[in-house]
Amino acid sequence: MRASRLTILVGAGTAVLLGLMGSAQAGTFPTLGDDGAAASAVLQLGAVPIATLQALPGGASGAERLVVVQRRLKAALDKPWQEGDVQIVQLNGETAIQLKGQHLLTVCEADAGAQNMTAGALAEQWAENLRGALRTITPAEPTAALAKFGET
């Protein structure tokens, strides 16, 4: 099985690379759930991996969660932003990451367990990944963001 990637141009000239990828550490592709959906999916902004979203027990697959997070990320990046807009909050008793005060994603126990981390520690890592990714893209320069993927 080959991992698939999708490059999407989002507002303000930023490029978001989304896709199903395997663990970089293990060098494997995502496992598939019983329904054939990817159990995990990696969210990337530019060339920077942000988070590996796991399937929720009895709930959404990693790929389904990725679609939701991608939509929220696109909406947040359609407006002016800065890396300081990334915040970790407690939401309904769970650790979540917000961008510009808007809910981006919840760090679930499945996510934390897959990394052998607490949800809080994983949220810190993912938030720093997102801040780093925001430093690599410039909304005013769409061709620079797209050139990273060999597209102009």
Side-chain angles (χ1 to χ4, degrees):
M1 179 176 134
R2 201 177 111 191
S4 61
R5 289 185 179 192
L6 173 63
T7 302
I8 301 174
L9 180 66
V10 295
T14 59
V16 178
L17 174 68
L18 301 173
L20 306 179
M21 296 177 49
S23 166
Q25 295 172 336
T28 60
F29 293 133
T31 57
L32 297 180
D34 293 336
D35 61 356
S40 65
V42 174
L43 173 68
Q44 289 187 262
L45 179 61
V48 180
I50 297 170
T52 302
L53 304 172
Q54 301 296 321
L56 301 177
S61 70
E64 290 168 330
R65 290 180 67 201
L66 178 66
V67 169
V68 172
V69 174
Q70 178 269 326
R71 184 180 53 218
R72 291 175 182 162
L73 182 59
K74 179 189 179 305
L77 294 179
D78 276 344
K79 301 175 188 109
W81 47 264
Q82 55 190 352
E83 65 181 86
D85 291 333
V86 179
Q87 300 293 319
I88 298 171
V89 298
Q90 290 297 310
L91 185 63
N92 299 322
E94 294 187 293
T95 305
I97 297 175
Q98 292 184 340
L99 181 57
K100 298 182 61 58
Q102 299 298 309
H103 178 71
L104 184 61
L105 62 91
T106 301
V107 182
C108 303
E109 290 303 318
D111 300 320
Q115 300 295 322
N116 294 320
M117 300 174 79
T118 65
L122 187 57
E124 289 287 343
Q125 181 181 351
W126 286 359
E128 187 54 36
N129 292 349
L130 180 55
R131 289 182 195 109
L134 290 174
R135 287 189 291 266
T136 69
I137 61 172
T138 304
E141 300 175 359
T143 56
L146 290 173
K148 292 179 182 179
F149 309 109
E151 302 173 13
T152 55

